[in-house]
Amino acid sequence: MTLKMETQSVRPLTVGVLALQGAFEAHAKALTALGVTAKLVRTTAELEGLDGLIIPGGESTTFLKFLERGGFLDALQRFVETTPTFGTCAGAILLAKNVENPAQRSLAALDITVERNAYGRQIDSTILSAPTELKGGPLEMVFIRAPRITRTGKTVETLASRDGFPVLVREGHLLAATFHPELSGDLRVHQLFLDLIRERVQSKA
């Protein structure tokens, strides 16, 4: 049993990046730098066989328009129920159970409430460095038309905050950030997601 667990923990991972819009190439580059096979996902069939998925930033309403074609949204909803998924910025909005300012449809998977465009327009974007629950000192966080997490459920863990509001959260096999870790040279958030995936893989061994 021990040998099996060790084999599972080091087997190569394949992580998808939803490639409908946003900085999906930057996410793929980060995953590759961490020794993972990155797969760009544009169809429901490409969700098959993935160990995890990243939903990148972009415009959440545009994401929905793409996803509502051909049953993609329903397939993605089934996927995120059981498979590790990491949403950044617009991806965090799509994962949230509740979306405000204005309300819109989502995958309703992660027990948080998100307020869209809470920090203003593109011109109000900023880069901050702040302490987090991650090891290795302060983390650089790039905010671009960022949403704000205004509520977290009882089982949601806050790993980083800005002005008293969560900006990096985890609930079980789901991870969300309101900033863009793919635009920073710091790979710790992507490494956190890979650790989460391996934890899930081992639990199924």
Side-chain angles (χ1 to χ4, degrees):
M1 174 64 88
T2 302
L3 180 59
K4 182 180 180 182
M5 292 292 285
E6 288 176 353
T7 302
Q8 288 286 346
S9 67
V10 297
R11 76 167 177 80
L13 297 178
T14 299
V15 179
V17 183
L18 194 61
L20 300 179
Q21 64 161 348
F24 52 84
E25 291 283 5
H27 279 293
K29 184 177 179 181
L31 293 172
T32 301
L34 291 169
V36 171
T37 298
K39 179 180 178 181
L40 299 183
V41 175
R42 295 186 175 92
T43 67
T44 56
E46 290 170 334
L47 293 171
E48 293 294 325
L50 296 179
D51 295 300
L53 177 72
I54 294 176
I55 305 177
E59 172 42 56
S60 58
T61 54
T62 304
F63 261 125
L64 284 173
K65 289 178 182 178
F66 283 123
L67 291 171
E68 286 169 348
R69 301 171 184 170
F72 202 156
L73 188 64
D74 292 334
L76 188 58
Q77 198 154 25
R78 291 191 296 271
F79 179 92
V80 303
E81 286 176 358
T82 58
T83 309
T85 303
F86 176 27
T88 62
C89 202
I93 295 172
L94 287 175
L95 283 179
K97 278 194 175 179
N98 302 295
V99 180
E100 299 175 341
N101 191 37
Q104 70 177 39
R105 186 179 179 186
S106 69
L107 297 170
L110 179 61
D111 192 10
I112 60 174
T113 297
V114 170
E115 180 184 344
R116 297 174 58 208
N117 298 327
Y119 294 100
R121 299 172 298 169
Q122 188 92 4
I123 195 171
D124 299 307
S125 302
T126 187
I127 300 176
L128 301 176
S129 183
T132 71
E133 296 299 315
L134 305 182
K135 294 180 180 179
L139 177 72
E140 181 181 76
M141 294 178 276
V142 181
F143 293 90
I144 303 174
R145 293 185 63 196
R148 176 186 286 139
I149 298 172
T150 58
R151 181 197 63 85
T152 57
K154 292 181 180 179
T155 60
V156 176
E157 180 184 6
T158 297
L159 303 174
S161 299
R162 172 187 177 185
D163 301 328
F165 292 95
V167 296
L168 179 63
V169 296
R170 175 186 177 177
E171 183 180 28
H173 64 285
L174 301 175
L175 187 69
T178 60
F179 57 95
H180 291 266
E182 78 281 7
L183 300 182
S184 168
D186 194 325
L187 297 176
R188 281 180 290 164
V189 178
H190 286 87
Q191 183 62 62
L192 172 67
F193 183 51
L194 298 185
D195 292 343
L196 185 157
I197 294 173
R198 291 193 174 96
E199 179 182 307
R200 189 79 168 179
V201 168
Q202 289 184 1
S203 70
K204 291 183 176 182

